[in-house]
């Protein structure tokens, strides 16, 4: 009887999806909406995407303009604390 109870409690393991995996990520697989999918542009040449990003950058600059002195002070403090000891560039 105990063995039967153990079998009932076990659920099928969900295997993580990989590019070559035949197993579903979800059981059953469900589409997940991607509200930013329209911005995917591997060539980085879509006028719509570039215009949107330029507008976002302009908006961010306007909203954070009051933090310019704080940003500069933090940057200078970070630079002061850095110890530049590397005489050469890293190599593999």
């Amino acid at each position: 009887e105990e063995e039967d109870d153990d079998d009932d409690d076990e659920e099928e393991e969900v295997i993580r999806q990989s590019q070559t995996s035949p197993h579903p990520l979800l059981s059953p697989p469900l589409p997940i909406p991607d509200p930013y999918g329209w911005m995917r542009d591997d060539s980085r040449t879509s006028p719509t995407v570039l215009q949107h990003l330029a507008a976002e950058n302009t908006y961010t600059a306007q909203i954070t303009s009051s933090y310019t002195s704080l940003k500069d002070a933090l940057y200078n403090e970070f630079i002061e604390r850095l110890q530049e000891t590397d005489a050469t560039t890293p190599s593999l």
Side-chain angles (χ1 to χ4, degrees):
E1 251 181 52
E2 290 179 17
E3 290 179 15
D4 292 337
D5 291 340
D6 291 341
D7 290 340
D8 292 341
D9 292 339
E10 290 182 22
E11 293 182 20
E12 185 176 327
E13 181 181 351
V14 177
I15 301 172
R16 291 192 63 90
Q17 185 78 22
S18 69
Q19 195 168 21
T20 58
S21 173
H23 303 286
L25 177 61
L26 303 172
S27 181
L30 301 171
I32 299 173
D34 180 7
Y36 297 101
W38 67 271
M39 293 181 69
R40 178 155 195 114
D41 178 28
D42 293 335
S43 67
R44 309 292 194 262
T45 57
S46 170
T48 305
V49 173
L50 294 175
Q51 182 180 8
H52 175 77
L53 293 175
E56 286 289 325
N57 288 340
T58 301
Y59 172 79
T60 300
Q62 290 173 350
I63 294 299
T64 61
S65 64
S66 62
Y67 301 115
T68 302
S69 61
L70 175 61
K71 180 183 72 167
D72 293 341
L74 288 172
Y75 175 79
N76 290 331
E77 184 177 336
F78 291 149
I79 294 299
E80 288 172 7
R81 293 174 183 249
L82 284 178
Q83 295 179 0
E84 296 185 31
T85 58
D86 294 335
T88 61
T89 58
S91 62
L92 297 175

